Amino acid sequence: MEQRRKERLDRGIKVRSDGLYALMSWRELSYLTLPRLVLIIGMLMLPFLMPNSYWQRVISIVCLYALLALSFDFLAHFLGLVSLGGAFFIGVGGYLSAIMNTSLGLPPFMAIPLATLLGAGICTLFLLPCLPLRGVYFAIVTLMYPLALARVIEAMDLFGGTDGVLGVDSFPNPWVEQYFVIAMVFLFMFGTRRLVNTDLGLVLRAVKDNDQAVKASGMSITYYKAIAVFIASAMGCLSGACLVHIYMWAGISLFALDFSILPIAATVIGGGGTLVGPVLGCFILVPISELLREFGTLRIVFYSLVLMAFIVFRSEGIMVYGERKYHQFERWVKV
Amino acid sequence: MKNDQAILRIDHITKAFGGILALNSVSFDVRKGEILGIIGPNGSGKTTIVNCITGFIKMTSGKVFFHGRDISGKPAHKIADMGITRTFQIMRPYYSLPAYKNLVIPLFSPRAKRTGGWRGGGQLGDRNTVGIDILEEIGFERDSYVPYKAASTLPTGYLKRLELARCLALKPEIILCDEVFSGLSMSEIASMVPLIERLQMDGITVIMIEHRLRELFRVANRVMVMNFGEKLTEGTPDEVMADEKVKEAYFGSEEVEEVMTYA
Amino acid sequence: MDIFIYGTINSAALALMALGFALVYGISRIPNFAHGALYVITGFVTWICLRSFHLNYFLSILLAMIITGVIGALIYQFILIRVRGMSISEIIASYAIGLAILEGFRWGGFKGMTYTLPAFADGTIMIEGIPVDMQRLFVVIIGAAVVAFLWAFTHFTRLGLALRGMAQDERAALMLGIDSDRMAVVAMALGAMLSGLAAIVLLPLGNIVVEKGYDVLIQAIAVCIVGGLGSWMGAVLAAFIIGFAQIFTVVYLGAHFQMVVALLAIILTLIIRPSGLFGRQKELEERV
Amino acid sequence: MLKATDLMVFYENMLALNNISITCADKQIIGVFGANSAGKSTLMYTLSGIMDDIQKKEGMAGGERITVLGRIQYLERDITDLKPSIRAKRGMVLCPERRRIFNESSVMENLRIGGYLATKKQSKETLDYIFELFPPLQKLKKRIGGFLSGGEQQMLAIGRALMAQPKLLLLDEPLMGLSPLIQSILVRATRKIRDKRGISIIVTEQYARPVLPIVDYAYILENGAAVLEGPHDEILNNPDVRSAYFGVSEE
């Protein structure tokens, strides 16, 4: 009987370019760096390619979602925590920056970094109780916070209540706005990528794999999870802080579901665990969502369905699939 | 033995799961630099002792003293940080990582940074190199590809060594080995035994929980016997072997019918 | 006294909401984030049967529950079955399903105050001088009946026992000839019908709105975490704790804080006793 | 009764079972011996169909790609592609490694869950038989499974498997981690099950010594391949086997 099975093998060039030898030939060098260059140059060119200021604004929004998606991907695939509350980070960062700007009179470029750090601290503190545990707790708590916070703000009429904080300063001009957020996406994308390959990143992954052994090695898993949550919420808060300065307004809609579900959808479509995938996913999803703006909440139905389809039928996502095809080939072998 | 003082004192620890006593007021001393074996039938509470000492579960009552300091109730990572490390009965390597990368993680811990890791004189070099050094000490062939293989592809014998290596990376004072011999072939055990003896020579106190009596008795200085969550007896291997109670509880008589009624 | 009566009613309501979620999680270990959506579906389907097709109320209820059960089973059979065992995907997929359904309803125009279900029976009775309307009484009675039914079902019937076996070790159950996928479908259908039942008993007390879906999901999850995930008896007990706590806050602080109470209950539980009131899973695991 | 031919299992590119053929006649006890990771559990999973389930889950998670080749015939019919639950229904029941009893249910409930496939009458009769076979369980009826000792758990696991009315019972390392005393009880019980109820049994063990006296035919696995097979006497007297597989500490 003829029996066959599929086998996956690394391409020779990948094996060689993993080592230092890559520097020896242009072919191998370009094999390594070309994909990255295409991405960087492509993103830097984007604001020029957009037809009008509306679409330029869309690019900024894409980048903000990309930051959120990075934060989701980082937490989910390098720490094993599923955050269903991107809106929580956005809301905290956004409100903080808006208040600092309007009440304390700080200019945007002071308010944004401060709101990022302070907001990340607050979010980490709020999420601290569920960090020692594995499982669905983190997902549940992050799902609840934005809903509950929105209720509290509404009920107690805090920060302008349903009207929100008005009169927030905008960025000096659209170009600054766009290149600032694009730079932030680069910073955090390559930053987290570098981070997960350091020894600290290794420890974080170990926490995901096997927290008992980490404990037995004399390390507090809560501490390391807190570090990672801080980094992730900093990304989210930064995104929220930028958002209020783009829209010049902070309100309860910062806690809206869009901010929670779209980054997840983008990550799943783009390929979780790659850190580039989520950014790519945002570049696909956000423009589509802009086109669907007039349909109202149907957009959310749309993301949910896309998300579901991807998770069920192609759970690895575009990037993982692409990377595999790039680095490996498959062949049928006879047994 | 040069030093007879108790490095670890376990004082009447009790652990109840639901209504059942897994440990019932167990007390014993561990002397510095010795190898203490703990034996007993399944379900007699051996692993529970390890879990209680290392803080992986909270004991219902009782105290544990380390160098005379009360460490009961401290979280697991604090206890490990003091130098009391353990292996797991069901091995827990980081499966997706190569073997040597498994050691980068414990080498990252505060204790390893303080002590310089295994044999380190206070400063820790590149963690990858130190990791490979430790693996070599523990019996991975340095020049082969074994230390670079993903932990998920390693056979049981190597994984057990990896568990020990993880402990060693912390430069521990005490290692609690939870059934390091179980699941190994005769020849693998034979190569593990000198390893354990080496640990003792390096001044590490070892507590071993075992089923494999013959091998344990070769290395252990003292043996404690557990049964139904209680300490039955302790003494040198010869004393324990001679004890009538131990024979009855652990080896049983040949009459099956008698056993059926006793259980 | 009125705190006691309203507390009991609220607790029974919470227990009804939570049991469906607890059942599905207990058996298939899938946190069903679409739970709230199923609740809302039942409400709207009943309303449509009643108002658009002018069916008899009882018949509408029956039909709605069956439809919800079938939808639950279909969700499992075609979507969740493919992501079983991958916790990240499970959470995301079921959350996505729930969102799609709820936001779909919102887009379809099901909002506002017009969608209400009639009470089972009109009138109020006086208990210790406090008026309690019949529908609230039904909440308590049906809540108690569901708990009793579930207990008997999982302790005495072949199917119930098989479900419990699967809840504890799926592969071991498989070895004994229990078809795990079919059992999970059954569990999911049962869970969906329970959430449907909760909807039918509770919705006559208010409007059918999309937001209820999120509320119910969150309250159910809060109850389940406090009770210990996967423990049904724990869920019932936790429903009472949270139920009374909510009534207290409503009386002394104001109605807006109900959700905050649920959140606070979760956080406190996680800090003090992470496994929940009845979650002893962890201890057993450590013993091995 | 059971005839598996040319079984091969790959985990990704690693060969876990290499061309193994195994047969089991009516009312025989077959022993499969080998060190850890020799492929014993993989073999049992493949025979019982659990491998099918593992394969599916791994495939969904994007993990290892498991390939299973070869045919399995059971009661003259090909069952290679059947789901594990259907194989169990036809009387092929696996009592897994590490026992895997239902930790949170009582002994009685464990047994009743095991009786999912049995009729009321069969359940009652089997229950009586199990308590006769393992008297300790009788007193522990109400005890929660997770609180039993290892030996009691193993008795319960075997009892639970019997409740599923097997014609062919697969025992995966039933003696693992148990004291010599409990081991001898279980070995005797295993023989009784075969003698009294006519159930064929395939048993795997790491150490051959305790089980060898009751097996009719034995296979010895090494690195996924069957290096030796033969009837009881032949294995017993093979000098290589004696040195390699008879090491069990028993002072």
Side-chain angles (χ1 to χ4, degrees):
Chain A
M1 199 177 1
E2 173 89 341
Q3 283 177 318
R4 300 194 305 167
R5 67 189 186 88
K6 228 176 186 179
E7 194 179 56
R8 282 179 199 162
L9 290 172
D10 277 354
R11 285 183 205 281
I13 189 168
K14 157 113 175 25
V15 177
R16 268 177 290 141
S17 58
D18 273 348
L20 231 111
Y21 306 107
L23 299 176
M24 302 207 169
S25 100
W26 280 110
R27 201 169 103 80
E28 285 168 16
L29 199 60
S30 59
Y31 173 83
L32 272 183
T33 53
L34 210 58
R36 264 163 247 196
L37 277 177
V38 168
L39 179 78
I40 292 172
I41 294 171
M43 271 180 73
L44 287 177
M45 296 284 287
L46 267 177
F48 290 103
L49 299 176
M50 288 299 126
N52 53 38
S53 62
Y54 172 74
W55 280 101
Q56 286 185 338
R57 172 59 52 83
V58 171
I59 293 301
S60 307
I61 304 294
V62 167
C63 289
L64 295 184
Y65 273 113
L67 279 174
L68 266 185
L70 270 175
S71 126
F72 173 83
D73 190 28
F74 177 63
L75 279 184
H77 294 99
F78 295 96
L79 213 66
L81 296 174
V82 185
S83 150
L84 296 183
F88 176 51
F89 302 145
I90 289 272
V92 171
Y95 264 101
L96 274 176
S97 189
I99 291 162
M100 281 188 214
N101 183 247
T102 53
S103 305
L104 304 179
L106 296 175
F109 281 108
M110 289 275 282
I112 290 174
L114 272 177
T116 304
L117 290 177
L118 195 62
I122 292 174
C123 292
T124 313
L125 211 62
F126 268 65
L127 294 171
L128 211 53
C130 47
L131 293 186
L133 303 165
R134 299 177 71 93
V136 296
Y137 299 101
F138 189 81
I140 291 166
V141 173
T142 47
L143 173 71
M144 288 181 76
Y145 271 129
L147 292 167
L149 275 183
R151 291 280 170 86
V152 171
I153 288 174
E154 203 175 353
M156 298 183 66
D157 214 18
L158 292 168
F159 316 126
T162 39
D163 293 337
V165 183
L166 299 165
V168 182
D169 287 343
S170 69
F171 283 95
N173 72 55
W175 296 103
V176 174
E177 172 193 310
Q178 275 164 39
Y179 280 102
F180 179 70
V181 289
I182 289 178
M184 284 298 129
V185 171
F186 281 143
L187 177 73
F188 278 99
M189 185 165 68
F190 291 113
T192 43
R193 213 186 154 109
R194 179 62 62 85
L195 174 77
V196 298
N197 288 321
T198 60
D199 288 352
L200 174 63
L202 212 58
V203 172
L204 294 181
R205 273 195 282 173
V207 170
K208 179 193 173 195
D209 267 17
N210 188 346
D211 50 354
Q212 296 267 319
V214 176
K215 263 197 249 172
S217 303
M219 287 181 277
S220 159
I221 52 167
T222 315
Y223 172 73
Y224 287 100
K225 280 188 182 174
I227 290 181
V229 168
F230 183 84
I231 295 169
S233 39
M235 288 188 251
C237 290
L238 173 68
S239 171
C242 293
L243 195 73
V244 293
H245 291 287
I246 289 175
Y247 284 140
M248 301 193 289
W249 176 75
I252 292 176
S253 67
L254 288 180
F255 293 109
L257 275 170
D258 290 47
F259 296 115
S260 299
I261 187 74
L262 198 142
I264 303 177
T267 306
V268 170
I269 291 169
T274 58
L275 295 174
V276 183
V279 177
L280 203 72
C282 284
F283 273 96
I284 298 169
L285 270 190
V286 179
I288 298 177
S289 132
E290 284 302 319
L291 293 174
L292 292 176
R293 184 162 280 278
E294 57 196 281
F295 292 100
T297 61
L298 190 64
R299 284 188 298 159
I300 295 182
V301 178
F302 163 77
Y303 314 138
S304 309
L305 291 176
V306 171
L307 176 55
M308 215 150 67
F310 258 84
I311 220 160
V312 169
F313 297 108
R314 188 157 280 302
S315 58
E316 53 185 12
I318 296 170
M319 260 321 274
V320 180
Y321 180 79
E323 262 179 11
R324 208 182 57 227
K325 287 283 169 216
Y326 193 66
H327 290 313
Q328 295 183 321
F329 59 91
E330 291 185 344
R331 64 172 185 199
W332 286 96
V333 287
K334 241 187 267 175
V335 174
Chain B
M1 211 152 305
K2 316 192 286 282
N3 201 336
D4 227 23
Q5 95 203 66
I7 186 169
L8 196 67
R9 195 150 66 77
I10 283 83
D11 189 16
H12 296 286
I13 58 172
T14 300
K15 174 69 198 174
F17 289 106
I20 286 123
L21 280 179
L23 283 180
N24 187 7
S25 191
V26 177
S27 312
F28 60 96
D29 283 355
V30 186
R31 293 171 204 151
K32 193 168 163 50
E34 75 172 343
I35 297 180
L36 173 71
I38 301 180
I39 61 171
N42 258 70
S44 59
K46 301 183 304 285
T47 299
T48 315
I49 288 188
V50 174
N51 281 333
C52 283
I53 294 176
T54 52
F56 274 80
I57 55 177
K58 286 204 171 68
M59 47 204 142
T60 316
S61 68
K63 290 219 173 343
V64 178
F65 296 94
F66 176 55
H67 284 308
R69 264 179 66 201
D70 184 3
I71 60 163
S72 30
K74 288 212 188 325
H77 65 93
K78 283 263 170 61
I79 292 177
D81 193 59
M82 291 175 192
I84 305 178
T85 58
R86 66 170 298 182
T87 68
F88 290 97
Q89 185 179 356
I90 301 157
M91 293 152 292
R92 296 174 189 269
Y94 309 107
Y95 279 109
S96 56
L97 298 177
Y100 76 101
K101 284 274 183 197
N102 265 272
L103 295 180
V104 170
I105 290 144
L107 284 172
F108 195 80
S109 70
R111 183 179 172 83
K113 281 180 191 158
R114 231 174 25 241
T115 58
W118 174 239
R119 284 179 196 279
Q123 79 186 40
L124 193 64
D126 174 42
R127 294 195 185 90
N128 293 335
T129 331
V130 179
I132 292 175
D133 285 347
I134 297 175
L135 286 179
E136 193 185 12
E137 295 261 358
I138 206 100
F140 280 60
E141 298 81 358
R142 185 185 191 104
D143 296 323
S144 71
Y145 55 93
V146 188
Y148 304 95
K149 274 173 78 170
S152 55
T153 62
L154 290 176
T156 323
Y158 280 107
L159 290 179
K160 293 268 178 192
R161 281 159 199 268
L162 199 55
E163 283 276 311
L164 266 181
R166 198 190 59 225
C167 296
L168 285 181
L170 290 178
K171 199 167 171 49
E173 290 184 50
I174 302 179
I175 297 184
L176 291 102
C177 300
D178 197 351
E179 302 205 4
V180 276
F181 291 160
S182 75
L184 297 187
S185 71
M186 300 305 277
S187 59
E188 281 171 321
I189 290 177
S191 67
M192 282 289 261
V193 168
L195 207 67
I196 307 274
E197 284 168 342
R198 268 256 306 292
L199 295 181
Q200 187 180 25
M201 286 195 291
D202 286 327
I204 298 172
T205 311
V206 183
I207 301 175
M208 294 183 74
I209 287 180
E210 269 313 325
H211 270 297
R212 310 290 296 267
L213 302 191
R214 187 192 292 162
E215 292 78 8
L216 178 69
F217 285 179
R218 262 181 56 195
V219 290
N221 304 112
R222 283 193 313 138
V223 175
M224 182 174 94
V225 187
M226 301 276 303
N227 199 19
F228 292 110
E230 292 179 12
K231 183 167 90 170
L232 213 57
T233 182
E234 63 175 293
T236 63
D238 293 337
E239 285 166 16
V240 167
M241 283 311 301
D243 196 309
E244 278 303 315
K245 276 188 295 183
V246 177
K247 273 191 186 149
E248 199 181 313
Y250 200 73
F251 308 109
S253 50
E254 280 307 297
E255 300 302 308
V256 176
E257 279 70 26
E258 212 180 304
V259 182
M260 305 287 245
T261 46
Y262 117 88
Chain C
M1 191 61 206
D2 46 350
I3 285 182
F4 176 75
I5 289 171
Y6 283 103
T8 310
I9 292 165
N10 193 30
S11 306
L14 281 177
L16 274 173
M17 289 179 202
L19 277 172
F21 185 89
L23 187 84
V24 174
Y25 186 84
I27 288 162
S28 52
R29 300 283 144 186
I30 288 181
N32 179 18
F33 281 83
H35 181 70
L38 293 168
Y39 179 93
V40 173
I41 285 182
T42 319
F44 282 124
V45 170
T46 316
W47 189 89
I48 290 166
C49 289
L50 205 60
R51 295 284 179 260
S52 305
F53 301 126
H54 304 288
L55 292 178
N56 167 300
Y57 192 23
F58 179 72
L59 206 66
S60 313
I61 288 174
L62 205 66
L63 206 62
M65 276 185 58
I66 290 171
I67 288 174
T68 315
V70 170
I71 290 175
L74 289 179
I75 287 176
Y76 184 85
Q77 185 68 50
F78 289 102
I79 296 164
L80 293 181
I81 204 169
R82 295 163 190 270
V83 294
R84 278 294 297 283
M86 294 178 281
S87 59
I88 293 178
S89 304
E90 278 174 1
I91 294 174
I92 297 174
S94 62
Y95 182 54
I97 296 164
L99 271 184
I101 294 172
L102 285 176
E103 296 303 319
F105 272 123
R106 201 201 295 274
W107 178 73
F110 286 94
K111 52 191 168 194
M113 298 294 176
T114 47
Y115 302 97
T116 52
L117 293 178
F120 295 171
D122 290 325
T124 52
I125 54 166
M126 302 294 272
I127 301 173
E128 300 276 322
I130 294 146
V132 177
D133 54 282
M134 292 300 277
Q135 188 65 29
R136 291 197 158 77
L137 209 60
F138 270 115
V139 170
V140 177
I141 293 168
I142 292 180
V146 165
V147 172
F149 164 77
L150 269 185
W151 190 82
F153 175 70
T154 53
H155 281 79
F156 298 113
T157 64
R158 203 172 71 114
L159 190 63
L161 277 166
L163 286 174
R164 273 178 70 201
M166 214 193 101
Q168 295 174 50
D169 188 335
E170 189 189 330
R171 215 160 261 163
L174 205 57
M175 292 165 196
L176 297 167
I178 298 170
D179 187 336
S180 57
D181 282 332
R182 193 180 317 153
M183 284 302 143
V185 172
V186 171
M188 189 74 188
L190 207 62
M193 282 170 82
L194 275 178
S195 80
L197 183 67
I200 281 158
V201 184
L202 296 173
L203 282 175
L205 296 174
N207 299 317
I208 313 174
V209 283
V210 171
E211 277 71 27
K212 279 259 164 67
Y214 299 110
D215 272 8
V216 165
L217 172 63
I218 281 171
Q219 311 238 29
I221 289 175
V223 167
C224 288
I225 286 188
V226 173
L229 274 173
S231 158
W232 311 329
M233 284 301 133
V236 173
L237 193 68
F240 273 85
I241 293 172
I242 295 180
F244 275 92
Q246 282 183 341
I247 293 298
F248 269 109
T249 43
V250 169
V251 171
Y252 295 109
L253 279 173
H256 287 298
F257 290 92
Q258 281 211 1
M259 168 108 71
V260 182
V261 170
L263 186 68
L264 228 58
I266 290 189
I267 301 285
L268 277 179
T269 310
L270 293 186
I271 293 173
I272 298 165
R273 195 185 155 90
S275 49
L277 295 171
F278 275 70
R280 54 174 182 221
Q281 187 98 20
K282 215 172 162 199
E283 280 190 350
L284 284 170
E285 204 175 285
E286 294 292 355
R287 195 171 181 226
V288 174
Chain D
M1 178 159 207
L2 179 88
K3 190 165 183 300
T5 37
D6 302 330
L7 289 181
M8 286 181 97
V9 175
F10 291 88
Y11 293 119
E12 200 66 65
N13 296 342
M14 192 186 90
L15 190 59
L17 275 191
N18 187 1
N19 231 342
I20 288 184
S21 300
I22 190 169
T23 45
C24 174
D26 255 356
K27 295 183 192 172
Q28 259 192 339
I29 298 183
I30 305 287
V32 177
F33 305 110
N36 253 293
S37 72
K40 301 187 299 291
S41 289
T42 308
L43 176 66
M44 291 308 234
Y45 284 151
T46 313
L47 291 179
S48 63
I50 300 295
M51 193 50 85
D52 196 56
D53 187 60
I54 298 174
Q55 194 179 8
K56 223 168 52 191
K57 300 259 153 73
E58 282 284 341
M60 282 191 306
E64 285 178 306
R65 199 178 288 204
I66 300 173
T67 320
V68 180
L69 303 170
R71 309 306 299 173
I72 304 168
Q73 282 210 317
Y74 171 69
L75 297 175
E76 332 277 73
R77 279 156 82 184
D78 189 285
I79 57 161
T80 318
D81 302 318
L82 292 184
K83 285 210 278 189
S85 53
I86 296 178
R87 295 190 204 195
K89 205 169 276 175
R90 297 210 183 152
M92 193 154 112
V93 179
L94 172 64
C95 176
E97 191 187 357
R98 292 191 180 279
R99 312 186 266 274
R100 304 185 79 145
I101 58 158
F102 300 122
N103 276 330
E104 292 160 36
S105 292
S106 69
V107 168
M108 204 53 199
E109 281 167 351
N110 261 285
L111 293 173
R112 281 171 55 203
I113 295 169
Y116 176 72
L117 293 173
T119 61
K120 270 224 168 72
K121 212 177 114 213
Q122 284 172 327
S123 293
K124 202 167 166 326
E125 187 265 339
T126 317
L127 217 51
D128 290 340
Y129 177 73
I130 290 166
F131 290 139
E132 184 196 317
L133 191 66
F134 300 121
L137 290 183
Q138 177 98 47
K139 286 178 202 151
L140 300 168
K141 269 185 187 172
K142 291 260 185 308
R143 182 75 65 89
I144 299 298
F147 296 135
L148 298 177
S149 73
E152 289 156 0
Q153 286 194 356
Q154 186 62 54
M155 292 178 196
L156 178 57
I158 294 178
R160 191 184 62 180
L162 286 177
M163 287 296 284
Q165 311 301 321
K167 298 192 186 79
L168 172 64
L169 184 61
L170 307 173
L171 293 175
D172 199 357
E173 302 215 26
L175 308 183
M176 186 170 63
L178 298 179
S179 67
L181 170 66
I182 307 278
Q183 290 192 353
S184 71
I185 299 177
L186 287 169
V187 168
R188 279 170 216 214
T190 309
R191 180 154 62 187
K192 272 192 216 157
I193 293 169
R194 194 267 310 260
D195 292 347
K196 297 271 165 58
R197 301 186 67 89
I199 296 171
S200 315
I201 295 170
I202 300 181
V203 55
T204 71
E205 257 320 310
Q206 193 173 350
Y207 300 103
R209 175 125 120 214
V211 196
L212 201 57
I214 61 162
V215 303
D216 300 312
Y217 197 87
Y219 295 83
I220 290 181
L221 301 190
E222 231 166 66
N223 293 327
V227 288
L228 196 73
E229 61 176 275
H232 170 251
D233 297 334
E234 203 175 295
I235 296 282
L236 195 66
N237 297 323
N238 187 312
D240 295 340
V241 180
R242 288 184 79 87
S243 64
Y245 293 96
F246 277 64
V248 61
S249 56
E250 206 179 307
E251 270 87 342

